[in-house]
């Protein structure tokens, strides 16, 4: 990257990436880490579909299947989709609000490395007697000390660590969006992606804290002999379900809201129209966020909490359909009468709308308590949330990838391969998951590793598996596309290859490390579009050209993440039969590295550096 | 951005008035803290004394808790200050979101154990 060569004259590339605090490079790190986890969890999905392809298959053992189910869900939600949305949030938010970086660049790097090492901690469970196998929801008592093996300790501590990283990053984004907006960028001129990211970050703060508490309780139960979830000693296993879903339902919105945001950027850009009903979109997002905390019991209808409670939560759940519907109609009206351009990004974004509607409809169906007794824990639920997670979030992320790729990497992705990928993915997706609705309705339970012949499930499972292979192939096409485009695509030198509307397209490509040589003055919603139409096609500066103050890179975030990894691993060693070294040494080492690095950061004065004026002028001339 | 970043903040970036204001703030904080300790003491006494009936103690300490909570928010978390709209919004959101959840949990866990 051009930005990398501009700053370091004598450091190695690896060192540069390990110590970077630049939001654009962290975004690339998030993208790579998220993509790797995504591939890993995707491969597990393919293995599971091979196992389910025919009745009484013996490709995987039941135990391995359980481990795959658990790791697939856990990785996809916590370690693949979360970093992928963080990748876009990191890259896009500062550019869209006209800032030079996030509010706390150091914390940004810290969030990444803590997340990364937490993910690593969950992942190394394979080498120590097997992965967690109690489902991504880890219900007690299955996940408690009595039944859960060492894998569950990796689940508990790994998620605790990676959740910390997610929390710090979210706080950073909240502060960034509230405090770092360019002059004139009022809240009601904030691009919708920033709005949904803000709300997502708020949801993370309010939802990941209960998760951290729940995981801490489970850890106390498992490692330190606590009895929170043990009914024999006065504990209560249902408490875990409550805590988990108080986190869990907001979590699904944490993931889908940024996808909403991406769609709300891509659709106007390729409809050549402003977003229909901007204000309604903002308030719908707020209402969804609020309601998402009021519906968690819909995951527990069959626990037996009682008809009144179930009804209240059923109605609250159905209420979410209203703001969601507002959003759907706004996207449709944005496209209505627009000059539509169907490239890959727009294909993904526009097909997001109908698939998401299907997922929403089955969601409301699930919210009806009497029939949920039929649907619950069948493939119908699996189909429901995959319509949201794959047909919604994954398509949103693909749209975002194709849309922002030229800004991030300086060249476009190949369109032909892109559209091939889209169609394979889209057809494969519906093949895999539509038929699972029916499988669920005829009674196939979820999270089972096989089924009998003669139950009428063979053919449908085969179709589902073939669809899954198509989706897998589509992902391979995407990978080929990335490599192929890197070698063959034309470098982009213009600012705005899509003729888009928001501020990130006002920066030069490649984006210099300081983003904006002069902070822009924002005069309208869609400021870049406004200047193209009503102004002279350039952003008005809000300040004179001057030196720019930048933060220094630091290896400490990496060290803190590593320290937490070692610390967590030490705690897990307390449960091992014969650890090679005493666990206290490992725990101690982790604690010392973690807090030592924090100490170092506190006492070591580092005021960053200034980019001198002539250097800025030179860079600006080079890129424009 | 101030040029003398190595100096303590009070020397490099604060005017005399701001310093005065901070000192006044400090006094208020200490007063609020003393007040809260006093309330906590009351709560302890109410619980520890056999003389006081539980029928009185429980509503009484709940009331104390509410007062303490308000004091915490207004004085320690600066809810009373000007230009604190964003923090206020966040704190209120937190209360609005967590209160129903807590009430629901207390009620529901009483009904079904497992
Ligand atoms: C209109 C909006 C929605 C409604 C009414 C709804 C309703 C429901 C209900 C009632 C269940 C529980 C089914 C059962 O276990 O019996 C459920 C499960 C689930 N939903 Fe949704 N949902 C909605 C949107 C979403 C969104 C946006 C996501 C993800 C981004 C999502 C992801 C999930 C997941 C992952 C599960 C399964 C959890 C598990 O048991 O592992 N849902 N949904
Ligand atoms: Cu839910």
């Amino acid at each position: 990257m051009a930005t990398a060569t501009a700053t370091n004259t004598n450091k190695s590339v690896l060192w540069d990436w390990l110590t970077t605090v630049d939001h654009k490079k962290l975004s690339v790190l998030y993208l790579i880490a998220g993509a790797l986890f995504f591939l890993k969890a995707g491969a597990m999905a393919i293995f599971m579909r091979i196992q389910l392809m025919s009745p009484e298959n013996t490709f995987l053992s039941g135990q391995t299947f359980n481990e795959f189910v658990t790791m697939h869900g856990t990785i996809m939600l916590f370690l693949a989709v979360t970093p992928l949305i963080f990748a876009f949030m990191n890259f896009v938010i500062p550019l869209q609000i006209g800032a030079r970086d996030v509010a706390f660049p150091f914390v940004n790097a810290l969030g990444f490395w803590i997340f990364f090492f937490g993910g690593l901690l969950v992942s190394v469970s394979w080498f120590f007697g097997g992965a967690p196998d109690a489902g991504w929801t880890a219900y007690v008592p299955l996940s408690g000390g009595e039944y859960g093996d060492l894998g569950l300790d990796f689940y508990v501590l790994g998620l605790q660590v990676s959740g910390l990283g997610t929390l710090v990053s979210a706080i950073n984004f909240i502060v960034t969006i509230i405090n770092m907006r360019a002059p004139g960028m009022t809240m009601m001129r904030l691009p919708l992606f920033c709005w949904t990211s803000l709300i997502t970050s708020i949801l993370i703060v309010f939802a990941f804290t209960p998760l951290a508490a729940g995981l801490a309780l489970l850890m106390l139960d498992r490692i330190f002999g606590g009895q929170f979830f043990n009914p024999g000693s006065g504990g209560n296993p249902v408490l875990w379900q409550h805590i988990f879903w108080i986190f869990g339902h907001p979590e699904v919105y944490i993931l889908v809201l940024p996808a909403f945001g991406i769609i709300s950027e891509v659709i106007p850009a390729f409809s050549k129209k402003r977003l229909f009903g901007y204000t309604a979109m903002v308030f719908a997002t707020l209402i969804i966020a609020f309601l998402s905390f009021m519906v968690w019991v819909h995951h527990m209808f069959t626990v037996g909490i009682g008809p009144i409670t179930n009804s209240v939560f059923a109605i609250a759940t159905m209420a979410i359909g209203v703001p969601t519907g507002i959003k759907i109609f706004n996207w449709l009206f944005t496209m209505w009468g627009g000059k539509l351009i169907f490239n890959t990004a727009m294909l993904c974004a526009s097909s997001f709308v109908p698939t998401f509607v299907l997922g929403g409809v089955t969601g409301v169906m699930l919210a009806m308590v009497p029939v949920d007794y039929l649907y619950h824990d069948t493939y119908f639920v699996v189909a429901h949330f995959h319509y949201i997670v794959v047909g919604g979030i994954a398509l949103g992320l693909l749209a975002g990838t194709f849309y922002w790729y030229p800004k991030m990497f300086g060249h476009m992705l190949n369109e032909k391969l892109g559209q091939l990928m889209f169609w394979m993915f889209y057809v494969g997706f519906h093949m895999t998951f539509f038929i699972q609705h029916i499988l669920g309705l005829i009674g196939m339970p979820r999270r089972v590793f096989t089924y009998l012949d003669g139950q009428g499930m063979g053919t449908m499972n085969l179709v589902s598996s073939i669809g899954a292979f198509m989706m897998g192939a589509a992902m391979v096409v995407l990978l080929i596309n990335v490599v192929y485009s890197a070698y063959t695509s034309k470098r982009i030198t213009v600012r705005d290859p899509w003729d888009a509307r928001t501020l990130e397209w006002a920066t030069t490509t490649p984006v210099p490390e300081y983003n904006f040589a002069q902070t822009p003055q924002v005069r309208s919603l869609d400021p870049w579009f406004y200047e193209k139409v009503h102004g002279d096609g350039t952003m008005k500066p809000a300040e004179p050209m001057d030196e720019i103050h930048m933060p220094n890179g630091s290896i400490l975030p990496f060290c803190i993440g590593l320290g937490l990894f070692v610390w967590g691993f030490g705690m897990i060693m307390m449960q091992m039969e014969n650890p090679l070294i005493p666990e206290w040494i490992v725990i101690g080492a982790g604690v010392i590295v973690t807090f030592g690095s924090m100490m170092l950061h506190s006492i070591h004065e580092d005021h960053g550096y200034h980019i001198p004026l002539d250097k800025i002028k030179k860079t600006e001339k080079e890129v424009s | 951005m101030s040029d003398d970043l190595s100096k303590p903040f009070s020397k490099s970036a604060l005017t005399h008035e701001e310093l005065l204001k901070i000192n006044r703030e400090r006094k208020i904080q200490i007063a609020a803290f003393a007040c809260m300790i006093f309330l906590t003491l009351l709560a302890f006494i109410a619980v520890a004394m056999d003389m006081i009936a539980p029928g009185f103690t429980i509503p009484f300490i709940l009331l104390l808790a509410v007062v303490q909570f308000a004091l915490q928010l207004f004085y320690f978390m600066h809810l009373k200050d000007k230009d604190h709209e964003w923090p206020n919004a966040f704190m209120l959101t937190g209360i609005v979101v967590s209160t129903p959840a807590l009430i629901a949990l207390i009620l529901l866990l009483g009904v079904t154990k497992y």
Side-chain angles (χ1 to χ4, degrees):
Chain A
M1 281 183 133
T3 46
T5 49
T7 42
N8 22 292
T9 38
N10 49 8
K11 288 181 199 137
S12 77
V13 179
L14 180 69
W15 182 254
D16 180 47
W17 283 92
L18 288 182
T19 59
T20 186
V21 292
D22 179 1
H23 72 101
K24 297 178 286 297
K25 285 189 197 162
L26 280 167
S27 144
V28 175
L29 287 178
Y30 267 121
L31 201 63
I32 295 171
L36 287 178
F37 278 121
F38 186 87
L39 289 180
K40 184 175 156 196
M44 291 176 195
I46 299 282
F47 284 131
M48 289 190 286
R49 276 326 309 177
I50 296 176
Q51 161 67 17
L52 290 173
M53 206 156 59
S54 53
E56 295 178 78
N57 202 350
T58 51
F59 177 69
L60 299 178
S61 72
Q63 176 60 26
T64 316
F65 189 91
N66 284 349
E67 291 173 18
F68 275 180
V69 157
T70 306
M71 285 300 269
H72 168 76
T74 311
I75 293 181
M76 279 296 188
L77 291 174
F78 293 99
L79 309 175
V81 174
T82 310
L84 287 174
I85 61 174
F86 274 7
F88 291 122
M89 281 159 72
N90 246 315
F91 188 83
V92 177
I93 289 175
L95 297 181
Q96 276 193 339
I97 62 176
R100 297 227 161 90
D101 205 323
V102 290
F104 309 115
F106 180 89
V107 176
N108 200 10
L110 186 64
F112 172 77
W113 287 112
I114 295 182
F115 141 75
F116 179 78
F117 278 108
L120 210 61
L121 191 53
V122 183
S123 301
V124 291
S125 57
W126 291 111
F127 306 108
F128 297 92
D133 53 3
W136 82 282
T137 50
Y139 275 11
V140 283
L142 199 55
S143 64
E146 201 174 337
Y147 302 104
D149 283 333
L150 204 58
L152 263 306
D153 293 312
F154 282 98
Y155 173 95
V156 169
L157 283 148
L159 288 192
Q160 188 70 279
V161 173
S162 88
L164 262 176
T166 308
L167 255 174
V168 252
S169 308
I171 292 171
N172 197 3
F173 286 128
I174 296 177
V175 182
T176 305
I177 295 177
I178 289 178
N179 280 347
M180 308 283 284
R181 283 168 288 137
M185 177 63 83
T186 59
M187 286 311 276
M188 290 318 275
R189 286 181 187 167
L190 210 56
L192 217 80
F193 179 71
C194 290
W195 257 114
T196 54
S197 302
L198 174 65
I199 307 285
T200 282
S201 307
I202 297 173
L203 285 184
I204 289 179
V205 171
F206 287 133
F208 270 68
T209 29
L211 175 72
L215 288 172
L217 294 184
L218 189 55
M219 176 190 77
L220 288 174
D221 265 19
R222 289 186 56 84
I223 303 182
F224 298 103
Q227 306 292 343
F228 291 103
F229 304 122
N230 180 359
S233 316
N236 187 340
V238 180
L239 178 63
W240 168 262
Q241 299 191 16
H242 279 294
I243 298 179
F244 188 86
W245 288 115
I246 285 176
F247 147 78
H249 190 83
E251 163 73 0
V252 302
Y253 279 96
I254 288 168
L255 301 178
V256 87
L257 286 181
F260 284 178
I262 295 174
I263 304 300
S264 309
E265 299 295 322
V266 174
I267 287 186
F270 298 116
S271 306
K272 301 273 165 255
K273 272 176 72 188
R274 65 175 280 181
L275 185 68
F276 186 91
Y278 171 85
T279 320
M281 285 296 233
V282 171
F283 282 97
T285 314
L286 286 170
I287 295 172
I288 290 180
F290 172 75
L291 283 177
S292 72
F293 277 98
M294 305 292 152
V295 298
W296 78 91
V297 173
H298 69 213
H299 296 273
M300 304 166 60
F301 282 155
T302 54
V303 167
I305 293 178
I308 297 180
T309 314
N310 276 358
S311 316
V312 170
F313 279 92
I315 291 168
T317 305
M318 292 172 194
I320 295 196
V322 178
T324 314
I326 295 179
K327 284 184 161 279
I328 301 283
F329 282 112
N330 281 336
W331 288 318
L332 292 179
F333 287 138
T334 307
M335 284 189 270
W336 186 286
K339 235 172 72 195
L340 301 182
I341 303 165
F342 279 107
N343 51 25
T344 315
M346 182 62 168
L347 279 173
C348 293
S350 53
S351 55
F352 166 101
V353 180
T355 28
F356 188 80
V357 169
L358 267 169
V361 167
T362 48
V364 176
M365 290 169 73
L366 286 167
M368 296 185 284
V369 184
V371 276
D372 186 57
Y373 273 83
L374 290 177
Y375 300 144
H376 183 67
D377 263 342
T378 68
Y379 260 79
F380 192 83
V381 176
V382 178
H384 154 68
F385 67 76
H386 280 94
Y387 262 78
I388 305 253
V389 173
V390 182
I393 300 167
L395 278 179
L397 289 171
L398 286 173
T401 310
F402 276 78
Y403 181 57
W404 282 308
Y405 207 84
K407 212 19 115 197
M408 292 175 86
F409 297 102
H411 63 85
M412 297 223 187
L413 285 173
N414 185 291
E415 262 306 307
K416 281 214 183 74
L417 284 174
Q419 302 205 0
L420 176 69
M421 173 214 73
F422 168 78
W423 287 112
M424 282 166 69
F425 189 79
Y426 201 61
V427 174
F429 161 71
H430 283 286
M431 256 175 91
T432 314
F433 293 112
F434 191 82
I435 213 153
Q436 291 186 359
H437 291 115
I438 303 165
L439 271 174
L441 291 180
I442 65 171
M444 178 157 166
R446 69 190 277 211
R447 293 177 179 165
V448 290
F449 82 104
T450 193
Y451 49 93
L452 297 179
D453 211 355
Q455 291 180 311
M457 295 173 183
T459 325
M460 282 194 254
N461 269 307
L462 180 63
V463 173
S464 184
S465 292
I466 294 173
F469 302 150
M470 272 176 81
M471 277 201 282
M475 287 297 107
V476 175
V477 174
L478 178 64
L479 283 184
I480 294 174
N481 195 346
V482 168
V483 178
Y484 179 78
S485 308
Y487 286 107
T488 59
S489 263
K490 206 165 90 269
R491 297 299 106 175
I492 289 182
T493 48
V494 293
R495 289 161 186 256
D496 180 15
W498 303 120
D499 193 15
R501 314 173 69 85
T502 37
L503 205 50
E504 74 267 33
W505 303 104
T507 57
T508 49
T509 320
V511 188
E513 60 173 328
Y514 47 79
N515 296 353
F516 298 91
Q518 292 162 289
T519 307
Q521 172 75 43
V522 176
R523 301 202 286 171
S524 153
L525 179 69
D526 290 348
W528 177 236
F529 175 80
Y530 183 88
E531 298 297 341
K532 281 193 288 191
V533 173
H534 299 282
D536 57 0
T538 54
M539 292 307 296
K540 302 282 163 293
E543 57 171 17
M545 207 53 140
D546 200 358
E547 296 191 328
I548 294 174
H549 181 230
M550 298 296 288
N552 280 327
S554 167
I555 191 68
L556 291 177
F558 180 88
C559 296
I560 295 176
L562 185 68
L564 285 173
F565 176 87
V566 175
W567 183 357
F569 194 81
M571 305 267 279
I572 296 164
M573 283 169 74
M574 293 170 69
Q575 297 276 84
M576 286 183 188
E577 303 274 302
N578 46 0
L580 292 180
I581 22 178
E583 60 269 21
W584 293 110
I585 296 181
V586 181
I587 296 179
V591 172
I592 289 171
V593 173
T594 310
F595 286 105
S597 309
M598 290 186 194
M599 263 298 267
L600 262 183
H601 184 60
S602 305
I603 53 180
H604 173 232
E605 278 194 35
D606 179 2
H607 300 313
Y609 64 100
H610 287 270
I611 307 178
L613 201 52
D614 45 325
K615 199 166 162 202
I616 300 173
K617 285 196 174 133
K618 215 175 106 223
T619 323
E620 286 298 297
K621 213 180 254 131
E622 263 167 35
V623 286
S624 56
Chain B
M1 182 62 66
S2 170
D3 285 332
D4 25 35
L5 284 165
S6 304
K7 278 194 204 159
F9 187 66
S10 55
K11 292 230 174 66
S12 69
L14 285 181
T15 62
H16 187 59
E17 280 92 80
E18 280 170 321
L19 260 178
L20 279 183
K21 219 172 115 201
I22 285 189
N23 283 337
R24 200 174 327 125
E25 184 68 30
R26 187 175 296 139
K27 280 196 202 105
I28 295 179
Q29 295 263 336
I30 292 175
F33 185 67
C35 183
M36 286 201 234
I37 296 282
F38 177 68
L39 291 181
T40 314
L41 268 180
L42 279 187
F44 267 93
I45 292 172
V47 174
M49 298 266 269
D50 287 335
M51 251 166 64
I52 303 172
F56 172 77
T57 308
I58 291 171
F60 180 63
I61 58 176
L62 280 180
L63 180 76
L64 287 183
V66 172
V67 175
Q68 283 241 23
F69 186 58
L71 279 179
Q72 287 266 2
L73 283 181
F74 278 93
Y75 287 95
F76 282 0
M77 313 295 284
H78 299 278
L79 216 64
K80 63 177 181 12
D81 294 12
K82 275 210 289 290
D83 297 330
H84 270 247
E85 289 83 8
W86 276 108
N88 286 9
F90 274 90
M91 247 130 33
L92 282 179
T93 316
I95 297 170
V96 168
V97 166
S98 51
T99 313
L102 281 179
I103 294 176
L105 269 186
I106 291 168
L107 294 178
L108 296 182
L109 284 176
V111 178
T112 320
K113 282 267 183 200
Y114 41 81

